[in-house]
Amino acid sequence: MFVRPLEITSLTKCFPTASGDVTVVKDFNARILPGEFVTLLGHSGCGKSTVLSIIAGLQESTFGGVIVDGTEVREPGLERAFVFQSPCLLPWLTAFENVLLAATQAHPGKSNTDLRQLVTRYLGLVGIEEYASQLPTELSQGTQQRVALARALSQEPKILLLDEPFGMLDSLTRFELQDLVLELWEKDRKTVVMVTHDIDEAIYLSDRIILMTDGPESRVGLDLRVSLPRPRCRHAVSQDPEYFDLHARVIDFLESHSRQFTNQKELLHEA
Ligand SMILES: Nc1ncnc2c1ncn2[C@@H]1O[C@H](COP(=O)(O)OP(=O)(O)OP(=O)(O)O)[C@@H](O)[C@H]1O
Ligand SMILES: [Mg+2]
């Protein structure tokens, strides 16, 4: 684990468009402590994935930047692993081979035997050892996303970056994978930054919820601490007064920052 926080300072991202440059994110600041589980929440299009991909080094910032363990992020690095909403597995490789490919790239010095042991261990950790020899098309969406998680973990990163990793799953499978991510996080407390649209998911998993204002020029609007006891149990969380309080605060924030909602209220007012 890193001892220094992940620092996001004055992060600003402009995209060129036909009608000129648009500043999607402006002066986004956050400090994420080693081992923290932080979620980014906000309306669609506010810039959550943009911030996450800059942390990952997949995109460059226009101004400001991200410092990981004292070093400015300029490109992807093995200490940061990314899981997308879609599993993005190579369809011609089995689950085992998909993970092995990532593990081989991440650990060039390891022997073939060690690499195969490592892959088996991570497939076991995410509960899909029995599907090792199957192709992605033979696996359910939930199992494919478990392979994607095993692939990210096999990199043995210090930071996990998750962009709506359960967004494509049905609610029961989503619950299972949320519990899996919690269980894995409890084991070694990697720093996690996760983008989600799901308020319950954010409360259930996080230490902190960072709410982004609507774009353009989106920034941190509210930084909420979640102090629900750990290890967490879904039933206990759903009954806890803190859960109701957090839920109400997130809803209040999202409503007050929704341009569509504001316009609707104005229209109703005028009618
Ligand atoms: N490469 C690009 N060129 C131009 N505009 C872009 C580019 N990438 C993203 N955008 C715009 O930046 C804004 C933020 O996009 P981003 O994908 O970060 O939002 P998001 O909060 O992750 O949305 P969602 O919740 O729908 O995934 C959007 O308006 C999007 O259209
Ligand atoms: Mg997104």
Side-chain angles (χ1 to χ4, degrees):
M1 195 198 277
F2 290 136
V3 288
R4 286 187 273 188
L6 191 166
E7 307 266 7
I8 308 168
T9 311
S10 302
L11 187 72
T12 300
K13 180 70 184 176
C14 306
F15 286 115
T17 69
S19 48
D21 279 7
V22 174
T23 305
V24 170
V25 178
K26 188 171 181 194
D27 283 334
F28 182 104
N29 291 295
R31 195 163 188 263
I32 296 168
L33 298 178
E36 252 192 321
F37 198 125
V38 172
T39 43
L40 288 183
L41 197 75
H43 284 287
S44 191
C46 74
K48 303 176 295 294
S49 297
T50 301
V51 170
L52 201 69
S53 64
I54 294 172
I55 301 174
L58 299 171
Q59 287 196 58
E60 283 184 6
S61 62
T62 311
F63 303 108
V66 179
I67 293 183
V68 169
D69 201 32
T71 305
E72 187 166 0
V73 168
R74 296 196 177 278
E75 56 190 354
L78 289 172
E79 77 288 351
R80 285 160 283 138
F82 204 102
V83 178
F84 298 90
Q85 183 173 20
S86 154
C88 307
L89 303 174
L90 296 175
W92 59 90
L93 297 181
T94 63
F96 188 94
E97 289 163 347
N98 264 283
V99 181
L100 181 63
L101 183 65
T104 307
Q105 284 164 352
H107 311 286
K110 277 199 196 301
S111 70
N112 205 16
T113 314
D114 286 350
L115 283 169
R116 299 187 79 82
Q117 273 174 4
L118 183 134
V119 173
T120 305
R121 188 158 76 82
Y122 284 108
L123 287 175
L125 262 183
V126 302
I128 53 164
E129 240 178 316
E130 63 192 290
Y131 299 111
S133 58
Q134 293 193 247
L135 292 169
T137 47
E138 297 166 331
L139 303 172
S140 68
Q141 274 288 328
T143 306
Q144 287 186 43
Q145 202 55 313
R146 282 177 193 256
V147 179
L149 258 178
R151 180 177 58 187
L153 293 171
S154 75
Q155 196 176 310
E156 305 200 313
K158 303 219 168 45
I159 301 177
L160 260 184
L161 303 170
L162 312 173
D163 194 352
E164 297 195 56
F166 317 128
M168 286 172 73
L169 307 176
D170 63 83
S171 49
L172 288 181
T173 310
R174 192 179 319 155
F175 284 1
E176 280 174 21
L177 286 218
Q178 287 167 354
D179 287 333
L180 171 67
V181 164
L182 259 190
E183 195 187 307
L184 293 170
W185 178 80
E186 295 283 357
K187 280 194 181 119
D188 64 358
R189 302 256 169 158
K190 288 185 198 306
T191 309
V192 178
V193 186
M194 181 170 110
V195 166
T196 181
H197 276 122
D198 183 332
I199 303 172
D200 285 344
E201 178 171 285
I203 299 174
Y204 183 46
L205 300 178
S206 323
D207 294 317
R208 265 164 70 205
I209 304 172
I210 294 180
L211 285 145
M212 291 177 66
T213 60
D214 276 3
E217 302 196 352
S218 175
R219 57 186 163 74
V220 174
L222 192 63
D223 192 334
L224 287 175
R225 179 151 299 285
V226 183
S227 2
L228 292 160
R230 292 190 188 271
R232 290 188 185 153
C233 144
R234 197 177 295 278
H235 180 72
V237 165
S238 70
Q239 311 269 309
D240 196 304
E242 186 182 341
Y243 163 79
F244 294 106
D245 177 54
L246 286 166
H247 202 277
R249 291 175 71 184
V250 173
I251 294 275
D252 280 353
F253 176 90
L254 293 175
E255 284 188 347
S256 63
H257 284 82
S258 164
R259 202 165 293 123
Q260 197 188 349
F261 180 82
T262 313
N263 291 343
Q264 274 169 2
K265 276 211 299 198
E266 279 164 7
L267 284 174
L268 282 171
H269 212 66
E270 282 165 16

